[in-house]
Each structure stands twice: as structure tokens, then as C-alpha cells.
Amino acid sequence: MELRQLRYFVTVAEELNFGRAAERLRIAGPSLSQQIKALERDLKVVLFDRDRRSVTLTSAGAALLPGARALIAQADELRRQATGLAMSDPVRIGYVNWCPTDWAERAAGVAELRVDTWVMPSHAQATRVADGTLDLAICWVQNVDLQSMGLSARLIGVDHLYALDAGTGTGPVRAADTLVLVDDDAASWSSWNRYAEQFAAATGARVMRTDDGGVTGPTFFEHVRQLRRPVLNNPKGQDAALPTGLIRRAVIDPSPLWTWSLVWRRGDDRPAVRAVIDEFTRDVGDFGLDGPTVWLPDDDPHHPSHQRGH
């Protein structure tokens, strides 16, 4: 029995849904299911009754849940005492758009976390880490950024980009048949512009320049309506509610992926910072980045070709 398995058990018990629990824990669903089964084997009890429609705690699971929570709390307190992190300065972290939904829960056992409310573009957040304004940031970076700013990175999340369409098509659309918007305001859209231009160069997608900030938001929706062709969606609007008349279409041949990295200053070995890095990236998989039908920029730090080189 491992402490992480107890954390998994508690999370599934709170969600009563393996899919939501896996998303909250940022691990693959099959891995979560396997770990729960391993815990059940070790404890020699069944913790959950599960079928295709529902997940419920068994009487044994309900009886063990308070004890599991208590053990996790004790372990977290012991870790704080052992590392002296309780008295350390808060770890400052910023983000752009995507972030874990359980900031506090993840950090509770290792350090005091201060989430910066100043949401800025990826390149700006990476710069703030480099100059010491932040200790960590979740942002999109490339190897050239890490090298020039003296940063290190670990994969923490991935968005599967799709196309928005106001036309009659509803099925998947080939990458070469999409259009990507690039904004003249490089100060705000430096990262997106680089990604979009590299995507277009690699796939044959058409690039259209704009100067109205319309690469996301209401102005973007208007562009999609006027263009009447599939337009690659910016990750900043990944989960935005769509207005009437627009539909999401999967992009294939290849499917574009946008990676989110947790970045920190190279050589920053403060225990609290390292503990948060490890906690936030523990059990993070590869998100299928090595799949034959996906695309991400060649200079992405998580590109399979770079991972094979380590």
C-alpha cells in the first residue's frame, strides 16, 4: 500500500467518477483504475462498486475513508516538519490559461503556495520566472526560450486544439484545410503567433494576419463567421462557450497539440520550490505526444525527439 494510492482512493471517493478523478489527479484513467485495484488487493477489500453508469463506495470503502484521510494529513504534516517547509517563504506561481483545479490540495502537503492573479501571456510569465518575480509558471515555451532565459521545464498539461467553423461541415477537418490567425500585436501574442506560423509551415494551413486582437474572444468568433472556413482555435479560448452558429471540429492529419510546461529557474534548488515541482508533475503521463497522428512544434521541449535524446 502506497500513500499515493490512498490519495487516489480519497479523490475517487470524493468524485464518485473515475474520469473526473483522473482529470483532477492529472493521470490517465486506466492508470488510476489499476492503482485502485492494486490498493484493493493489498487491503483485501473492495472499495468501490462500479459499473458503466455509476461508482459508489462499498461499506468497507466508507469505513476506511476517514482513516485514509487522516493518514494523508499526518503524512503531509510530517513532510512539512521534516523539510522545514512550513517556515519557508511562499512559492509564487503564475499561469496563463490552463491550471490545475486543485492547487491548494496539491500544495498543502509540501509548501505554502501563492497563486499570482496577474494573468499574462506565456512569454511574459516565463520572463517573470527568469527575472525572479515568480518562482514557477505554467506556460507554453520552446527550447529556445528555456536556453535564452536559463529555465527548466516539465510537462504538466496538454490541450488538443480544434477548429471553429461557421460553415456546413461537421466532421473532422484536415490540418491543411484550416486557417490560422496571427496577430500583429506580438507583445501580446508572441507565443501563439510562433505556434500558428510553425503549424502552418508544417501542415500547409493558410495564415491570415489581423490587427484587432481577434485571435480569440468575440472578435475571433466574428472572423470565423465571416471567413466561412475552419479556423484553428487559440488555447486561450479552449473551453469558452460558443455562440450560436459556430461548431467545434476535430483537426486531423495531423492533430495539433499545445503543451503546458511548469517552468522554473535552472539551478533553483530551494526545497519548497522543488517539492512543488515534484508534487505538480507527479504521475503526469506523456499525453500521447508520441502518437503518429499528432503534431507539435519541433522545438517543443516535450517533443518525442527531444525525449529520446535524454
Short mmCIF file of all heavy atoms in Angstrom, two decimals, residues 245-294:
data_model
loop_
_atom_site.label_atom_id
_atom_site.label_comp_id
_atom_site.label_asym_id
_atom_site.label_seq_id
_atom_site.Cartn_x
_atom_site.Cartn_y
_atom_site.Cartn_z
N GLY A 245 -24.37 29.12 -33.92
CA GLY A 245 -23.93 29.10 -35.31
C GLY A 245 -22.50 28.64 -35.50
O GLY A 245 -22.08 28.39 -36.63
N LEU A 246 -21.73 28.51 -34.43
CA LEU A 246 -20.35 28.03 -34.54
C LEU A 246 -20.26 26.63 -33.94
O LEU A 246 -20.90 26.32 -32.95
CB LEU A 246 -19.39 28.97 -33.80
CG LEU A 246 -19.31 30.41 -34.31
CD1 LEU A 246 -18.19 31.15 -33.58
CD2 LEU A 246 -19.09 30.46 -35.81
N ILE A 247 -19.45 25.80 -34.56
CA ILE A 247 -19.26 24.44 -34.07
C ILE A 247 -17.78 24.12 -33.98
O ILE A 247 -16.95 24.71 -34.69
CB ILE A 247 -19.95 23.40 -34.98
CG1 ILE A 247 -19.33 23.44 -36.39
CG2 ILE A 247 -21.45 23.62 -35.03
CD1 ILE A 247 -19.77 22.27 -37.26
N ARG A 248 -17.46 23.20 -33.08
CA ARG A 248 -16.10 22.69 -32.97
C ARG A 248 -15.91 21.51 -33.92
O ARG A 248 -16.78 20.64 -34.01
CB ARG A 248 -15.81 22.23 -31.55
CG ARG A 248 -15.77 23.34 -30.50
CD ARG A 248 -15.35 22.76 -29.15
NE ARG A 248 -15.22 23.81 -28.14
CZ ARG A 248 -16.16 24.18 -27.30
NH1 ARG A 248 -17.36 23.58 -27.36
NH2 ARG A 248 -15.95 25.13 -26.41
N ARG A 249 -14.77 21.50 -34.61
CA ARG A 249 -14.45 20.38 -35.48
C ARG A 249 -13.05 19.87 -35.15
O ARG A 249 -12.11 20.66 -34.99
CB ARG A 249 -14.50 20.80 -36.96
CG ARG A 249 -15.88 21.24 -37.42
CD ARG A 249 -15.88 21.63 -38.89
NE ARG A 249 -15.59 20.51 -39.76
CZ ARG A 249 -15.49 20.61 -41.10
NH1 ARG A 249 -15.69 21.79 -41.69
NH2 ARG A 249 -15.23 19.55 -41.83
N ALA A 250 -12.92 18.57 -34.99
CA ALA A 250 -11.61 17.98 -34.72
C ALA A 250 -10.69 18.23 -35.91
O ALA A 250 -11.12 18.21 -37.07
CB ALA A 250 -11.75 16.49 -34.46
N VAL A 251 -9.42 18.48 -35.62
CA VAL A 251 -8.42 18.66 -36.67
C VAL A 251 -7.59 17.38 -36.75
O VAL A 251 -7.11 16.87 -35.74
CB VAL A 251 -7.52 19.87 -36.36
CG1 VAL A 251 -6.46 20.03 -37.45
CG2 VAL A 251 -8.35 21.14 -36.23
N ILE A 252 -7.43 16.87 -37.96
CA ILE A 252 -6.71 15.61 -38.17
C ILE A 252 -5.65 15.79 -39.25
O ILE A 252 -5.60 16.79 -39.96
CB ILE A 252 -7.66 14.47 -38.56
CG1 ILE A 252 -8.41 14.82 -39.86
CG2 ILE A 252 -8.65 14.19 -37.44
CD1 ILE A 252 -9.25 13.66 -40.41
N ASP A 253 -4.81 14.79 -39.36
CA ASP A 253 -3.77 14.72 -40.42
C ASP A 253 -2.86 15.95 -40.50
O ASP A 253 -2.70 16.53 -41.57
CB ASP A 253 -4.43 14.49 -41.80
CG ASP A 253 -5.20 13.20 -41.88
OD1 ASP A 253 -4.83 12.24 -41.16
OD2 ASP A 253 -6.16 13.14 -42.65
N PRO A 254 -2.23 16.36 -39.41
CA PRO A 254 -2.21 15.79 -38.07
C PRO A 254 -3.09 16.59 -37.11
O PRO A 254 -3.64 17.62 -37.47
CB PRO A 254 -0.75 15.93 -37.68
CG PRO A 254 -0.35 17.24 -38.32
CD PRO A 254 -1.11 17.31 -39.63
N SER A 255 -3.18 16.10 -35.85
CA SER A 255 -3.95 16.77 -34.81
C SER A 255 -3.01 17.64 -33.98
O SER A 255 -2.06 17.12 -33.39
CB SER A 255 -4.64 15.75 -33.91
OG SER A 255 -5.53 14.94 -34.64
N PRO A 256 -3.24 18.95 -33.92
CA PRO A 256 -2.31 19.84 -33.20
C PRO A 256 -2.48 19.77 -31.68
O PRO A 256 -3.60 19.79 -31.16
CB PRO A 256 -2.70 21.23 -33.73
CG PRO A 256 -4.14 21.10 -34.11
CD PRO A 256 -4.32 19.68 -34.59
N LEU A 257 -1.37 19.68 -30.99
CA LEU A 257 -1.35 19.67 -29.53
C LEU A 257 -0.60 20.91 -29.03
O LEU A 257 0.41 21.31 -29.60
CB LEU A 257 -0.66 18.41 -28.99
CG LEU A 257 -1.23 17.06 -29.40
CD1 LEU A 257 -0.47 15.94 -28.72
CD2 LEU A 257 -2.71 16.98 -29.07
N TRP A 258 -1.11 21.49 -27.97
CA TRP A 258 -0.48 22.65 -27.32
C TRP A 258 -0.07 22.19 -25.92
O TRP A 258 -0.89 21.75 -25.13
CB TRP A 258 -1.49 23.79 -27.24
CG TRP A 258 -1.04 25.00 -26.49
CD1 TRP A 258 -1.03 25.17 -25.13
CD2 TRP A 258 -0.54 26.23 -27.04
NE1 TRP A 258 -0.56 26.43 -24.80
CE2 TRP A 258 -0.25 27.09 -25.95
CE3 TRP A 258 -0.32 26.68 -28.33
CZ2 TRP A 258 0.25 28.39 -26.14
CZ3 TRP A 258 0.18 27.96 -28.51
CH2 TRP A 258 0.46 28.80 -27.43
N THR A 259 1.22 22.26 -25.63
CA THR A 259 1.72 21.77 -24.34
C THR A 259 1.79 22.90 -23.32
O THR A 259 2.10 24.05 -23.65
CB THR A 259 3.11 21.15 -24.48
OG1 THR A 259 4.03 22.12 -25.00
CG2 THR A 259 3.08 19.94 -25.41
N TRP A 260 1.50 22.55 -22.07
CA TRP A 260 1.68 23.46 -20.94
C TRP A 260 2.85 22.94 -20.11
O TRP A 260 2.84 21.79 -19.67
CB TRP A 260 0.42 23.53 -20.09
CG TRP A 260 -0.74 24.19 -20.77
CD1 TRP A 260 -1.88 23.59 -21.21
CD2 TRP A 260 -0.88 25.58 -21.09
NE1 TRP A 260 -2.73 24.51 -21.77
CE2 TRP A 260 -2.14 25.74 -21.72
CE3 TRP A 260 -0.08 26.70 -20.91
CZ2 TRP A 260 -2.61 26.97 -22.16
CZ3 TRP A 260 -0.54 27.94 -21.36
CH2 TRP A 260 -1.79 28.06 -21.97
N SER A 261 3.84 23.81 -19.90
CA SER A 261 5.02 23.44 -19.13
C SER A 261 5.01 24.13 -17.78
O SER A 261 4.55 25.27 -17.65
CB SER A 261 6.31 23.87 -19.87
OG SER A 261 6.47 23.16 -21.07
N LEU A 262 5.51 23.44 -16.77
CA LEU A 262 5.82 24.08 -15.50
C LEU A 262 7.29 24.46 -15.57
O LEU A 262 8.15 23.60 -15.73
CB LEU A 262 5.57 23.10 -14.34
CG LEU A 262 5.84 23.65 -12.94
CD1 LEU A 262 4.87 24.79 -12.60
CD2 LEU A 262 5.73 22.54 -11.90
N VAL A 263 7.58 25.77 -15.50
CA VAL A 263 8.96 26.24 -15.67
C VAL A 263 9.48 26.86 -14.39
O VAL A 263 8.73 27.43 -13.60
CB VAL A 263 9.07 27.25 -16.84
CG1 VAL A 263 8.59 26.63 -18.14
CG2 VAL A 263 8.31 28.53 -16.55
N TRP A 264 10.79 26.75 -14.20
CA TRP A 264 11.47 27.34 -13.05
C TRP A 264 12.90 27.70 -13.45
O TRP A 264 13.39 27.27 -14.49
CB TRP A 264 11.46 26.37 -11.86
CG TRP A 264 12.28 25.12 -12.06
CD1 TRP A 264 13.56 24.89 -11.69
CD2 TRP A 264 11.85 23.91 -12.73
NE1 TRP A 264 13.96 23.63 -12.05
CE2 TRP A 264 12.93 23.01 -12.67
CE3 TRP A 264 10.64 23.51 -13.31
CZ2 TRP A 264 12.85 21.73 -13.22
CZ3 TRP A 264 10.57 22.24 -13.86
CH2 TRP A 264 11.66 21.36 -13.81
N ARG A 265 13.55 28.51 -12.61
CA ARG A 265 14.91 28.93 -12.91
C ARG A 265 15.86 27.75 -12.76
O ARG A 265 15.84 27.05 -11.74
CB ARG A 265 15.35 30.08 -11.99
CG ARG A 265 14.68 31.40 -12.31
CD ARG A 265 15.17 32.53 -11.41
NE ARG A 265 14.82 32.31 -10.01
CZ ARG A 265 13.59 32.50 -9.51
NH1 ARG A 265 12.60 32.89 -10.30
NH2 ARG A 265 13.36 32.28 -8.23
N ARG A 266 16.68 27.55 -13.76
CA ARG A 266 17.65 26.46 -13.73
C ARG A 266 18.59 26.66 -12.53
O ARG A 266 19.11 27.74 -12.31
CB ARG A 266 18.45 26.46 -15.03
CG ARG A 266 19.21 25.18 -15.31
CD ARG A 266 19.81 25.25 -16.70
NE ARG A 266 18.77 25.40 -17.73
CZ ARG A 266 18.95 25.97 -18.90
NH1 ARG A 266 20.14 26.50 -19.19
NH2 ARG A 266 17.98 26.05 -19.78
N GLY A 267 18.74 25.62 -11.76
CA GLY A 267 19.61 25.72 -10.60
C GLY A 267 18.90 26.15 -9.32
O GLY A 267 19.54 26.24 -8.27
N ASP A 268 17.60 26.42 -9.40
CA ASP A 268 16.84 26.79 -8.20
C ASP A 268 16.55 25.51 -7.41
O ASP A 268 15.63 24.77 -7.74
CB ASP A 268 15.54 27.49 -8.57
CG ASP A 268 14.81 28.07 -7.36
OD1 ASP A 268 15.18 27.70 -6.22
OD2 ASP A 268 13.89 28.88 -7.55
N ASP A 269 17.33 25.27 -6.38
CA ASP A 269 17.21 24.03 -5.61
C ASP A 269 16.57 24.23 -4.24
O ASP A 269 16.74 23.39 -3.35
CB ASP A 269 18.59 23.38 -5.43
CG ASP A 269 19.17 22.89 -6.75
OD1 ASP A 269 18.38 22.41 -7.59
OD2 ASP A 269 20.40 22.97 -6.95
N ARG A 270 15.85 25.33 -4.06
CA ARG A 270 15.17 25.53 -2.79
C ARG A 270 14.19 24.38 -2.55
O ARG A 270 13.43 24.01 -3.44
CB ARG A 270 14.44 26.86 -2.79
CG ARG A 270 15.38 28.08 -2.69
CD ARG A 270 14.60 29.37 -2.82
NE ARG A 270 14.04 29.49 -4.17
CZ ARG A 270 13.07 30.35 -4.49
NH1 ARG A 270 12.54 31.13 -3.55
NH2 ARG A 270 12.63 30.41 -5.73
N PRO A 271 14.20 23.81 -1.35
CA PRO A 271 13.35 22.63 -1.09
C PRO A 271 11.88 22.87 -1.38
O PRO A 271 11.21 21.99 -1.92
CB PRO A 271 13.59 22.36 0.40
CG PRO A 271 14.95 22.91 0.68
CD PRO A 271 15.07 24.12 -0.19
N ALA A 272 11.36 24.04 -1.02
CA ALA A 272 9.94 24.29 -1.24
C ALA A 272 9.60 24.31 -2.73
O ALA A 272 8.58 23.75 -3.15
CB ALA A 272 9.52 25.62 -0.60
N VAL A 273 10.44 24.94 -3.53
CA VAL A 273 10.21 25.01 -4.97
C VAL A 273 10.29 23.61 -5.59
O VAL A 273 9.42 23.21 -6.37
CB VAL A 273 11.21 25.96 -5.65
CG1 VAL A 273 11.08 25.90 -7.17
CG2 VAL A 273 11.00 27.39 -5.16
N ARG A 274 11.32 22.86 -5.21
CA ARG A 274 11.47 21.52 -5.77
C ARG A 274 10.31 20.62 -5.34
O ARG A 274 9.84 19.79 -6.13
CB ARG A 274 12.79 20.90 -5.30
CG ARG A 274 14.04 21.66 -5.72
CD ARG A 274 14.18 21.80 -7.21
NE ARG A 274 14.08 20.54 -7.92
CZ ARG A 274 14.32 20.40 -9.21
NH1 ARG A 274 14.65 21.45 -9.94
NH2 ARG A 274 14.22 19.22 -9.79
N ALA A 275 9.83 20.81 -4.11
CA ALA A 275 8.72 19.98 -3.63
C ALA A 275 7.46 20.26 -4.43
O ALA A 275 6.70 19.34 -4.77
CB ALA A 275 8.49 20.24 -2.15
N VAL A 276 7.18 21.54 -4.74
CA VAL A 276 6.00 21.88 -5.53
C VAL A 276 6.14 21.34 -6.95
O VAL A 276 5.18 20.81 -7.52
CB VAL A 276 5.76 23.40 -5.54
CG1 VAL A 276 4.65 23.77 -6.52
CG2 VAL A 276 5.41 23.89 -4.14
N ILE A 277 7.32 21.46 -7.53
CA ILE A 277 7.55 20.92 -8.87
C ILE A 277 7.24 19.42 -8.90
O ILE A 277 6.51 18.93 -9.77
CB ILE A 277 9.00 21.16 -9.33
CG1 ILE A 277 9.28 22.66 -9.52
CG2 ILE A 277 9.30 20.40 -10.63
CD1 ILE A 277 10.75 22.99 -9.69
N ASP A 278 7.79 18.70 -7.93
CA ASP A 278 7.58 17.25 -7.90
C ASP A 278 6.11 16.91 -7.67
O ASP A 278 5.58 15.98 -8.29
CB ASP A 278 8.43 16.62 -6.79
CG ASP A 278 9.92 16.66 -7.12
OD1 ASP A 278 10.26 16.82 -8.31
OD2 ASP A 278 10.74 16.54 -6.19
N GLU A 279 5.45 17.65 -6.79
CA GLU A 279 4.05 17.36 -6.48
C GLU A 279 3.15 17.63 -7.68
O GLU A 279 2.23 16.87 -7.98
CB GLU A 279 3.60 18.19 -5.28
CG GLU A 279 2.19 17.87 -4.81
CD GLU A 279 2.05 16.46 -4.28
OE1 GLU A 279 3.04 15.89 -3.78
OE2 GLU A 279 0.92 15.91 -4.39
N PHE A 280 3.42 18.74 -8.40
CA PHE A 280 2.56 19.12 -9.51
C PHE A 280 2.78 18.27 -10.75
O PHE A 280 1.91 18.21 -11.62
CB PHE A 280 2.76 20.60 -9.85
CG PHE A 280 1.92 21.53 -9.01
CD1 PHE A 280 1.86 21.39 -7.64
CD2 PHE A 280 1.18 22.54 -9.59
CE1 PHE A 280 1.08 22.22 -6.86
CE2 PHE A 280 0.39 23.39 -8.83
CZ PHE A 280 0.35 23.22 -7.45
N THR A 281 3.93 17.63 -10.86
CA THR A 281 4.21 16.84 -12.07
C THR A 281 4.27 15.35 -11.77
O THR A 281 4.54 14.56 -12.68
CB THR A 281 5.54 17.28 -12.71
OG1 THR A 281 6.62 17.12 -11.78
CG2 THR A 281 5.47 18.73 -13.14
N ARG A 282 3.98 14.96 -10.54
CA ARG A 282 3.98 13.55 -10.18
C ARG A 282 2.86 12.83 -10.94
O ARG A 282 1.73 13.29 -10.98
CB ARG A 282 3.78 13.40 -8.67
CG ARG A 282 3.73 11.96 -8.18
CD ARG A 282 3.89 11.91 -6.66
NE ARG A 282 3.06 12.89 -5.98
CZ ARG A 282 1.80 12.67 -5.62
NH1 ARG A 282 1.22 11.53 -5.91
NH2 ARG A 282 1.12 13.61 -4.97
N ASP A 283 3.21 11.71 -11.53
CA ASP A 283 2.26 10.85 -12.26
C ASP A 283 1.71 11.49 -13.54
O ASP A 283 0.72 11.01 -14.09
CB ASP A 283 1.08 10.44 -11.36
CG ASP A 283 1.53 9.59 -10.18
OD1 ASP A 283 2.45 8.79 -10.37
OD2 ASP A 283 0.95 9.73 -9.09
N VAL A 284 2.32 12.57 -14.00
CA VAL A 284 1.91 13.14 -15.29
C VAL A 284 2.42 12.23 -16.40
O VAL A 284 3.60 11.89 -16.44
CB VAL A 284 2.46 14.57 -15.47
CG1 VAL A 284 2.27 15.04 -16.90
CG2 VAL A 284 1.77 15.52 -14.51
N GLY A 285 1.53 11.82 -17.28
CA GLY A 285 1.93 10.94 -18.38
C GLY A 285 2.48 11.73 -19.55
O GLY A 285 2.79 12.92 -19.44
N ASP A 286 2.57 11.06 -20.69
CA ASP A 286 3.08 11.75 -21.88
C ASP A 286 1.96 12.33 -22.74
O ASP A 286 2.22 12.98 -23.74
CB ASP A 286 3.95 10.81 -22.72
CG ASP A 286 3.18 9.61 -23.27
OD1 ASP A 286 1.93 9.58 -23.14
OD2 ASP A 286 3.82 8.71 -23.83
N PHE A 287 0.69 12.09 -22.34
CA PHE A 287 -0.48 12.66 -23.03
C PHE A 287 -0.53 12.27 -24.50
O PHE A 287 -1.13 12.97 -25.30
CB PHE A 287 -0.51 14.17 -22.89
CG PHE A 287 -0.72 14.66 -21.49
CD1 PHE A 287 0.36 15.08 -20.71
CD2 PHE A 287 -1.99 14.71 -20.93
CE1 PHE A 287 0.17 15.53 -19.41
CE2 PHE A 287 -2.19 15.16 -19.63
CZ PHE A 287 -1.10 15.57 -18.87
N GLY A 288 0.13 11.19 -24.86
CA GLY A 288 0.09 10.74 -26.25
C GLY A 288 0.88 11.61 -27.21
O GLY A 288 0.59 11.63 -28.41
N LEU A 289 1.90 12.30 -26.70
CA LEU A 289 2.67 13.20 -27.57
C LEU A 289 3.46 12.44 -28.64
O LEU A 289 3.86 13.05 -29.64
CB LEU A 289 3.64 14.04 -26.73
CG LEU A 289 3.03 14.98 -25.69
CD1 LEU A 289 4.11 15.84 -25.05
CD2 LEU A 289 1.96 15.87 -26.32
N ASP A 290 3.70 11.16 -28.42
CA ASP A 290 4.45 10.39 -29.42
C ASP A 290 3.55 9.67 -30.40
O ASP A 290 4.01 8.84 -31.17
CB ASP A 290 5.37 9.39 -28.72
CG ASP A 290 4.61 8.39 -27.85
OD1 ASP A 290 3.39 8.60 -27.65
OD2 ASP A 290 5.23 7.43 -27.37
N GLY A 291 2.26 10.01 -30.40
CA GLY A 291 1.35 9.38 -31.34
C GLY A 291 1.66 9.74 -32.78
O GLY A 291 2.13 10.85 -33.07
N PRO A 292 1.42 8.83 -33.71
CA PRO A 292 1.77 9.08 -35.12
C PRO A 292 0.88 10.10 -35.81
O PRO A 292 1.22 10.58 -36.88
CB PRO A 292 1.60 7.69 -35.76
CG PRO A 292 0.57 7.02 -34.90
CD PRO A 292 0.83 7.50 -33.51
N THR A 293 -0.26 10.45 -35.21
CA THR A 293 -1.20 11.36 -35.89
C THR A 293 -1.26 12.73 -35.24
O THR A 293 -2.15 13.51 -35.57
CB THR A 293 -2.61 10.75 -35.89
OG1 THR A 293 -3.07 10.59 -34.53
CG2 THR A 293 -2.61 9.39 -36.58
N VAL A 294 -0.34 13.04 -34.33
CA VAL A 294 -0.38 14.34 -33.65
C VAL A 294 0.77 15.22 -34.12
O VAL A 294 1.76 14.74 -34.69
CB VAL A 294 -0.34 14.18 -32.12
CG1 VAL A 294 -1.49 13.31 -31.65
CG2 VAL A 294 0.99 13.61 -31.66
#
